[in-house]
Amino acid sequence: MLSRVAASFYWLSRYIERSDGILRMLKINYNSSQDSTEGFNWAPVIRIFSGHDEELEERLGNDSRTVLRYMVTDKNNPNSILNIITFARENARSVQEHIPKDLWQCLNEYYHTVKDPNLDIRLQREDPITVLDIVIKQVMLYYGTAEITMERGQGRSFMNIGKYLERAIQSIDILDIKYKPTTANPTLLTDITYWKHLLLSIGGYELYLKTYRDGLEAQNVIEQIILNNDFPRSVIYSVNNIQRYFERLKNNSNVNDYREISFLIGKLQSSIKYSSVKSITNQGLHQFLTLIKDDLYKIGNSLNEYYFANS
């Protein structure tokens, strides 16, 4: 497979996964802002997806609709849903002959749904949850179509590597940013609502209730998000799938490149697999997550160097 084709598959999937994470986070946090306006702050969400920018946070304020419009339809926000899906569509267009027609049509519909000027108007005037659900359904339609139509070849492997790499980074960022305030405000460690919203934002609340019988506790939340093999958005689940799909790329012409990246993935896999909540908290959650995230970026950079020819 040509390096530019592989890179397009990879980035197409990363952008779609990023849009999914943003939309789910926006939906849950908007609900949270309506349930309890006291103490609610949009700053953590902005930091997760737009970086730490005090000027931006001050400009957006704590007005929910202003934040939603910035994160969904603002052309000047490089990480808005509108721009992310535009990037995804550009990557899909460059490999249109390698993807099923149904998948292209599905992505095109997603793009036009977000690009429609009425979406921004509806975010201002209507119930934002209803509007966000319309866009979230487009993501789900895309995932379903990809699952049942994509050829089980190299293209799909690169797509899944991109998806799970992006997902692992998102889960790390969300846990890290949501856990940081507990240092200054230890009462959050026992705040059931705080951890419930965190789990809801990454689709882990129902599994948590089935797995842990002693209520919502910070240590259990950390365990589920990092170490739970049954949670589709856990860090270990994502890394295991990166390894699974990368194995399928091995061939006689790329043995040395394969070994280099396979070593990075295996090293990361082991460092998570043989960790426990106790060892993580002893090391410091922020430090542990930073090291894991650095290793994920190394894997991404190595893919770019060895497989995408810096495309």
Side-chain angles (χ1 to χ4, degrees), residues 199-214:
L199 289 168
L200 285 169
S201 67
I202 56 174
Y205 182 60
E206 290 184 12
L207 178 61
Y208 184 97
L209 295 180
K210 294 175 183 177
T211 307
Y212 303 98
R213 303 296 181 182
D214 48 357

Side-chain angles (χ1 to χ4, degrees), residues 8 12 83 85-95 104 107:
S8 292
L12 160 64
N83 283 323
I85 296 310
T86 300
F87 297 147
R89 185 171 179 264
E90 287 172 358
N91 278 282
R93 183 187 291 279
S94 69
V95 292
W104 167 252
L107 180 57

Side-chain angles (χ1 to χ4, degrees), residues 44-304:
V45 177
I46 298 168
R47 288 171 193 166
I48 290 168
F49 297 109
S50 298
H52 191 91
D53 187 336
E54 292 182 1
E55 185 179 333
L56 173 63
E57 291 173 21
E58 186 177 344
R59 177 163 62 85
L60 295 177
N62 213 35
D63 181 77
S64 294
R65 290 184 187 267
T66 300
V67 173
L68 290 176
R69 291 177 62 206
Y70 175 77
M71 294 302 300
V72 177
T73 58
D74 194 328
K75 293 180 180 179
N76 296 316
N77 173 13
N79 229 18
S80 69
I81 299 298
L82 173 60
N83 283 323
I84 287 172
I85 296 310
T86 300
F87 297 147
R89 185 171 179 264
E90 287 172 358
N91 278 282
R93 183 187 291 279
S94 69
V95 292
Q96 195 171 346
E97 67 274 20
H98 298 279
I99 61 176
K101 183 179 179 181
D102 286 344
L103 190 61
W104 167 252
Q105 290 176 337
C106 180
L107 180 57
N108 220 27
E109 185 179 336
Y110 185 6
Y111 167 77
H112 287 293
T113 298
V114 178
K115 199 172 185 298
D116 186 348
N118 287 323
L119 189 70
D120 187 60
I121 296 170
R122 294 182 68 182
L123 280 172
Q124 297 178 60
R125 300 177 182 175
E126 298 180 18
D127 173 27
I129 296 298
T130 303
V131 181
L132 290 173
D133 277 340
I134 291 170
V135 187
I136 289 171
K137 284 178 182 177
Q138 292 293 328
V139 187
M140 294 300 96
L141 182 60
Y142 170 88
Y143 278 139
T145 305
E147 181 61 29
I148 64 175
T149 63
M150 271 298 296
E151 174 191 349
R152 267 48 178 173
Q154 286 187 332
R156 184 170 179 268
S157 292
F158 280 113
M159 286 175 72
N160 279 309
I161 291 169
K163 177 173 77 172
Y164 287 110
L165 189 67
E166 182 69 30
R167 183 176 295 183
I169 291 170
Q170 278 189 30
S171 293
I172 287 170
D173 283 342
I174 291 168
L175 179 58
D176 194 22
I177 285 178
K178 294 293 281 186
Y179 196 85
K180 273 182 184 177
T182 64
T183 305
N185 185 8
T187 59
L188 288 175
L189 290 170
T190 54
D191 187 333
I192 293 175
T193 304
Y194 188 78
W195 299 111
K196 178 181 178 181
H197 283 141
L198 168 57
L199 289 168
L200 285 169
S201 67
I202 56 174
Y205 182 60
E206 290 184 12
L207 178 61
Y208 184 97
L209 295 180
K210 294 175 183 177
T211 307
Y212 303 98
R213 303 296 181 182
D214 48 357
L216 279 163
E217 294 184 2
Q219 299 299 302
N220 292 339
V221 172
I222 291 171
E223 182 177 65
Q224 176 163 316
I225 294 176
I226 298 175
L227 303 170
N228 191 323
N229 283 292
D230 296 323
F231 179 39
R233 292 187 177 274
S234 74
V235 180
I236 188 62
Y237 182 90
S238 296
V239 172
N240 286 343
N241 274 281
I242 292 170
Q243 190 268 341
R244 173 189 175 194
Y245 286 102
F246 184 70
E247 275 190 351
R248 300 183 182 185
L249 298 177
K250 185 178 181 181
N251 59 54
N252 293 330
S253 64
N254 69 348
V255 173
N256 291 333
D257 296 345
Y258 172 86
R259 284 176 180 164
E260 180 80 22
I261 300 176
S262 183
F263 172 78
L264 292 175
I265 298 172
K267 178 172 170 286
L268 174 58
Q269 205 172 16
S270 295
S271 66
I272 301 170
K273 181 179 179 180
Y274 295 109
S275 295
S276 65
V277 174
K278 184 177 180 180
S279 68
I280 291 170
T281 51
N282 285 341
Q283 178 181 352
L285 179 63
H286 175 67
Q287 183 180 353
F288 176 83
L289 292 175
T290 299
L291 291 173
I292 297 299
K293 189 168 148 182
D294 287 345
D295 285 343
L296 287 165
Y297 280 131
K298 285 177 185 176
I299 292 169
N301 291 337
S302 295
L303 284 166
N304 185 56

Side-chain angles (χ1 to χ4, degrees), residues 18-36:
R18 191 175 304 172
S19 75
D20 184 46
I22 292 173
L23 289 166
R24 291 177 182 279
M25 177 67 80
L26 292 177
K27 179 179 176 178
I28 297 303
N29 276 268
Y30 179 79
N31 271 332
S32 178
S33 72
Q34 301 306 296
D35 291 343
S36 175

